[in-house]
Amino acid sequence: MKKGIYIVATPIGNLGDITPRAIEVLEAADIIACEDTRVTKKLFSLLNINIKKTFISMHDHNESEQLEKIIDFVKEGKSVAQVSDAGCPLISDPGYKLIRRCKEEGIYYCTIPGPCALICALQLSGLPTNSFMFAGFIPNKDKARADLFGKLKEIDTTLVFYETANRIIKTLEAAQKIFPQREMAVAREITKVYEECLNGSADELLKHFRTTEPKGEMVLMIAPPQEEEKNISDEDIETFLRAEMQTLSLKSAVKKIAEQYNRSKNEVYELALKIKDE
Ligand code: SAM
């Protein structure tokens, strides 16, 4: 086997998704760079791959130090297979710094492709796939999450995020405010027994997850804006503003509608004053 780095994808649930090429490389590699050595050794034993080789742990917190060791191994003539706990290495997982170093050092590297959660989720979603933006994990802090959604709202493409079961309700609550009209999809447990993909508005998905406890690994997708959202009429703005003014202060209703429909605050404020004076 040629010395260098082999980026090897592993299953995201169904063991049968390992490719023959991945098995060949994992068998032949001298060194396995993985996130959690226990997880990867378990995978090897399930796949009947020889475990008697060097396993090095490389995760988000030690990637910079560990990659130097890995580069040294390759310089000594060794072959290194890089895997993550599941799915495609480097995709919301460690590894890109290692590949940058390979480029700098002129070290051979290649990809051994396989399952990737974001691609499988898009396939299951029924949302447009001709163009999409993968935005990784959604921040856990309320402001950071709202800021991210606010920025992405303008982008005319399907949005894809990695998410976890214990955060999905908070995330959908934030998405409900910023993308109230958009179709969304939550794909969970992909390639596993309970694989499913639920589509609906944030409101509908929230209703579901408030009555059915969210479980398993998840990918959240948000459809691109429809024409109506892009060209919402002044009459509709007035209707939405009236509705918000029933429950929110004038200032909060103006802020919400202006942000949600990309209108100037002054314009919406004038309208709110008119409604208030009626
Ligand atoms: N690098 C991996 C990939 O792209 O396939 C993803 C690693 S990332 C640390 C883990 C996230 O991927 C999970 O929180 C979830 O959002 C998503 N994921 C992984 N496996 C999944 C599955 N079987 N079903 C749904 N989502 C999954």
Side-chain angles (χ1 to χ4, degrees):
M1 184 184 196
K2 192 167 164 179
K3 72 171 183 177
I5 308 277
Y6 296 76
I7 306 166
V8 184
T10 55
I12 57 169
N14 190 323
L15 217 53
D17 294 333
I18 191 84
T19 67
R21 208 171 151 224
I23 294 184
E24 200 182 303
V25 168
L26 295 176
E27 283 278 11
D30 302 306
I31 293 172
I32 308 296
C34 53
E35 290 181 89
D36 183 336
T37 53
R38 286 162 307 178
V39 171
T40 302
K41 282 182 179 169
K42 190 172 166 207
L43 176 74
F44 271 50
S45 67
L46 289 168
L47 293 168
N48 283 321
I49 300 175
N50 180 14
I51 212 165
K52 286 197 183 111
K53 49 179 85 202
T54 308
F55 285 73
I56 300 183
S57 158
M58 185 179 78
H59 46 71
D60 285 338
H61 305 293
N62 71 358
E63 185 175 354
S64 302
E65 303 105 68
Q66 293 300 78
L67 74 83
E68 295 306 331
K69 283 189 201 160
I70 295 169
I71 295 288
D72 286 345
F73 278 127
V74 178
K75 285 182 178 167
E76 287 162 17
K78 303 269 197 289
S79 54
V80 179
Q82 190 203 347
V83 298
S84 48
D85 282 351
C88 275
L90 281 82
I91 309 300
S92 284
D93 268 336
Y96 87 90
K97 290 179 193 154
L98 176 61
I99 300 308
R100 286 188 78 81
R101 287 282 285 132
C102 289
K103 283 185 179 286
E104 283 163 18
E105 299 276 347
I107 285 174
Y108 171 79
Y109 64 91
C110 68
T111 178
I112 311 294
C116 181
L118 81 99
I119 299 298
C120 298
L122 275 166
Q123 290 168 328
L124 298 175
S125 71
L127 300 183
T129 50
N130 52 330
S131 138
F132 63 86
M133 180 182 162
F134 174 57
F137 277 100
I138 298 168
N140 198 18
K141 296 243 161 65
D142 293 348
K143 184 171 182 319
R145 189 193 292 114
D147 287 351
L148 174 70
F149 282 169
K151 255 191 260 165
L152 297 179
K153 188 183 154 218
E154 304 308 321
I155 300 176
D156 192 3
T157 194
T158 299
L159 302 173
V160 187
F161 306 91
Y162 282 163
E163 193 43 287
T164 58
N166 57 344
R167 293 185 189 181
I168 189 74
I169 292 203
K170 276 201 139 195
T171 293
L172 286 170
E173 284 169 351
Q176 188 183 31
K177 292 192 185 113
I178 296 171
F179 308 99
Q181 301 158 307
R182 300 263 186 109
E183 182 182 350
M184 302 189 184
V186 174
R188 51 179 289 277
E189 296 289 88
I190 301 168
T191 75
K192 303 184 193 176
V193 177
Y194 295 107
E195 172 181 293
E196 68 175 359
C197 184
L198 301 162
N199 286 48
S201 63
D203 215 23
E204 288 163 339
L205 291 171
L206 271 171
K207 277 192 191 118
H208 171 83
F209 285 119
R210 282 184 179 136
T211 50
T212 311
E213 188 196 346
K215 282 188 189 153
E217 302 198 88
M218 304 185 162
V219 181
L220 169 68
M221 292 153 284
I222 303 180
Q226 298 290 306
E227 281 311 307
E228 311 88 74
E229 185 183 338
K230 287 189 224 158
N231 307 313
I232 201 147
S233 72
D234 290 350
E235 257 174 25
D236 286 339
I237 293 285
E238 189 170 333
T239 310
F240 298 146
L241 184 59
R242 271 180 204 282
E244 295 295 352
M245 284 171 69
Q246 307 276 329
T247 52
L248 296 178
S249 69
L250 183 140
K251 206 173 143 203
S252 306
V254 167
K255 185 170 181 285
K256 185 172 177 188
I257 294 294
E259 282 175 4
Q260 205 158 300
Y261 300 105
N262 209 16
R263 295 292 178 110
S264 91
K265 272 201 189 133
N266 283 346
E267 172 200 351
V268 182
Y269 185 69
E270 291 296 320
L271 196 55
L273 289 180
K274 191 191 99 186
I275 295 170
K276 193 172 156 233
D277 288 346
E278 280 171 5

